[in-house]
């Protein structure tokens, strides 16, 4: 993989529903061009009457036909916060299987009642599942975002070869999990400030190749066919995210057949910091049942303190909820083949701002009290 001549790192994914009337600005190094206000990537849409069409699939733009492919800009975005949409509001996510289940048919055989898609065919069975888990005090949305903003863990999205224009027919995208803010790399800081100078560690389980344990890195999650259309980044790849409440209570979400659909924004930074970029939009994908269940072992029962795995009462309850909500095949290539559903669809909103890639860090011990090799599945 070739690395561009100009390199700029970004970190901080701050999530939130993006206001549709906001302006996005595309450009670099003083050549800023303000586009007309438009809806952000992944934002809600409606019919002419203002009521969302319950069976209009959520669209993603195609590769721009007349765009100049490739450039020399490299940007890294790091996770700051996530919104899984469990607090209500517009549906969060994308139509992953191209179906609009209820009234249309499902893309796999559900274990029980057929789970209906949300408005516009959006697949996000994880919303109700996470609401159930959060309601039991295991985790909650404010705690996850607070820990992300404290720099305890996160994820990094690197965009290479962008031409800096609203349309680019070819860019590369990589995603790394992060073990959090690198305090050793930024003297005097105990947590990120999100001013473009923060340094974030890179989880070594996400790295395929590196230079002496440091950047530049090549991720195991790499999409070399991504593009930018109308100011929005579009990428398809499987990628990891780490969320949780502290350094010992975290969940590694393995997003299979994932999609990133987000608007690239730029603005003048304060002082001599130049241009500051951000990424705002939607991430979505398929969370394989076995991966989801196995990840729970790193969390603890809020009442007993026992790990949520094995014979734990909380685990058995959560497992029953997971297995009842399987709504999609773990791989898109198995859609519409009549197979049993094997994953839970996932969707979230996110935002990102400048930071830098730091050192490579090992994954903490996993498996909790059930051991590092413990696993489970919804199958017989």
């Amino acid at each position: 993989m070739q690395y561009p001549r100009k390199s700029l790192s970004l970190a901080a994914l701050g999530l939130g529903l993006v206001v549709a009337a906001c302006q996005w600005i595309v450009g670099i190094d003083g050549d800023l061009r303000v586009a007309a206000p438009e809806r952000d990537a992944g934002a809600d849409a409606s019919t002419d009457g203002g009521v969302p069409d319950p069976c209009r699939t959520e669209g993603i733009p195609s590769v721009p036909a007349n765009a100049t492919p490739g450039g020399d800009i490299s940007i890294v975005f790091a996770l700051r916060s996530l919104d899984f949409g469990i607090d209500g509001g517009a549906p969060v996510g994308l139509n992953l299987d191209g179906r609009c289940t209820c009234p249309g048919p499902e893309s796999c055989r559900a274990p029980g009642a057929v789970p209906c898609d949300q408005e516009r065919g959006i697949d996000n069975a994880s919303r109700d599942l996470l609401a159930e888990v959060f309601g039991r005090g295991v985790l909650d949305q404010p705690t996850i975002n607070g820990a992300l903003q404290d720099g305890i863990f996160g994820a990094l999205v690197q965009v290479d070869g962008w031409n800096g224009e609203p349309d680019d027919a070819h860019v590369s995208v990589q995603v790394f999990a992060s073990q959090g803010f690198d305090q050793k790399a930024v003297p005097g800081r105990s947590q990120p400030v999100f001013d473009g100078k923060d340094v974030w560690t890179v989880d070594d389980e996400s790295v395929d190749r590196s230079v002496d344990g440091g950047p530049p890195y090549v991720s195991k999650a790499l999409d070399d066919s991504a593009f930018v259309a109308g100011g929005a980044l579009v990428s398809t790849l499987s990628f990891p995210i780490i969320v949780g409440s502290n350094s010992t209570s975290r969940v590694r979400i393995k997003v299979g057949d994932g999609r990133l659909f987000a608007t690239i924004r730029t603005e003048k930074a304060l002082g001599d910091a130049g241009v500051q970029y951000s990424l705002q939009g939607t991430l979505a994908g398929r969370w394989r049942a076995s991966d989801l269940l196995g990840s729970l072992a790193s969390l603890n029962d809020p009442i007993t303190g026992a790990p949520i795995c094995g014979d734990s009462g909380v685990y058995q309850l959560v497992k029953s909820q997971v297995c009842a909500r399987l709504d999609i095949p773990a791989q898109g290539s198995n859609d519409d083949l009549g197979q049993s559903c094997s994953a839970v669809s996932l969707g979230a909103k996110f935002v990102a701002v400048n930071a830098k890639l730091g050192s490579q860090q090992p994954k903490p011990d996993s498996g909790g009290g059930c051991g590092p090799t413990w696993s489970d599945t919804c199958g017989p």
Side-chain angles (χ1 to χ4, degrees):
M1 175 178 179
Q2 293 184 344
Y3 287 86
R5 296 185 299 275
K6 185 184 299 182
S7 179
L8 176 64
S9 292
L10 300 173
L13 284 184
L15 180 133
L17 296 175
V18 183
V19 180
C22 287
Q23 292 181 323
W24 57 265
I25 306 172
V26 179
I28 59 170
D29 298 337
D31 183 22
L32 300 181
R33 294 173 297 283
V34 181
E38 64 176 41
R39 191 175 73 250
D40 289 281
D44 190 23
S46 62
T47 61
D48 292 340
V51 178
D53 181 350
C55 202
R56 185 181 71 78
T57 57
E58 177 68 359
I60 293 179
S62 301
V63 178
N66 300 317
T68 301
D72 64 354
I73 301 172
S74 178
I75 309 172
V76 177
F77 303 89
L79 196 63
R80 179 181 181 180
S81 65
L82 287 170
D83 181 357
F84 294 103
I86 63 174
D87 296 327
V92 175
L94 298 171
N95 188 340
L96 299 171
D97 57 8
R99 292 280 189 173
C100 187
T101 305
C102 306
E106 64 274 20
S107 58
C108 58
R109 290 187 289 108
V114 176
C116 294
D117 289 347
Q118 298 176 30
E119 296 170 1
R120 296 174 281 127
I122 287 176
D123 296 296
N124 190 358
S126 68
R127 183 176 72 168
D128 291 340
L129 175 62
L130 291 174
E132 172 70 23
V133 173
F134 291 172
R136 298 188 175 277
V138 177
L139 274 178
D140 58 57
Q141 187 79 67
T143 298
I144 288 175
N145 286 332
L148 286 169
Q149 292 165 18
D150 287 342
I152 296 176
F153 47 76
L156 303 160
V157 180
Q158 179 168 322
V159 180
D160 291 316
W162 181 39
N163 62 12
E165 300 293 331
D167 293 322
D168 189 329
H170 179 252
V171 299
S172 294
V173 172
Q174 304 181 79
V175 180
F176 306 87
S178 173
Q179 298 298 340
F181 178 69
D182 193 344
Q183 297 184 26
K184 296 180 180 179
V186 188
R189 290 189 182 182
S190 60
Q191 63 185 54
V193 180
F194 306 113
D195 62 351
K197 299 178 181 179
D198 298 327
V199 179
W200 292 76
T201 63
V202 175
D203 173 49
D204 65 356
E205 190 173 280
S206 303
V207 176
D208 182 59
R209 299 190 304 277
S210 66
V211 177
D212 297 327
Y217 301 103
V218 176
S219 175
K220 295 177 182 177
L222 170 64
D223 176 13
D224 201 32
S225 300
F227 59 92
V228 178
L233 174 69
V234 180
S235 178
T236 301
L237 75 173
S238 298
F239 56 89
I241 299 173
I242 298 176
V243 300
S245 58
N246 55 54
S247 59
T248 59
S249 183
R250 58 179 67 188
V251 172
R252 182 181 295 261
I253 301 176
K254 296 180 180 179
V255 183
D257 276 3
R259 296 180 184 177
L260 295 174
F261 180 35
T263 300
I264 301 175
R265 297 170 178 265
T266 68
E267 61 183 16
K268 278 289 188 181
L270 297 176
D272 60 356
V275 175
Q276 183 164 339
Y277 294 80
S278 67
L279 191 65
Q280 306 180 17
T282 300
L283 62 85
R286 305 161 190 245
W287 198 355
R288 185 186 295 271
S290 56
D291 290 336
L292 195 167
L293 294 173
S295 70
L296 297 174
S298 61
L299 300 176
N300 295 323
D301 185 321
I303 297 177
T304 67
I308 301 178
C309 56
D311 296 330
S312 160
V314 171
Y315 172 73
Q316 292 300 324
L317 180 60
V318 172
K319 177 182 177 180
S320 68
Q321 295 290 334
V322 170
C323 297
R325 286 186 167 88
L326 300 180
D327 69 319
I328 200 165
Q331 295 179 301
S333 58
N334 292 329
D335 288 348
D336 304 323
L337 296 182
Q339 298 184 4
S340 296
C341 300
S342 54
V344 174
S345 56
L346 175 75
K349 290 281 189 178
F350 72 89
V351 177
V353 295
N354 300 44
K356 301 176 182 179
L357 289 173
S359 61
Q360 192 171 326
Q361 296 292 329
K363 172 185 174 182
D365 292 338
S366 62
C370 292
T373 61
W374 180 83
S375 64
D376 200 1
T377 182
C378 289

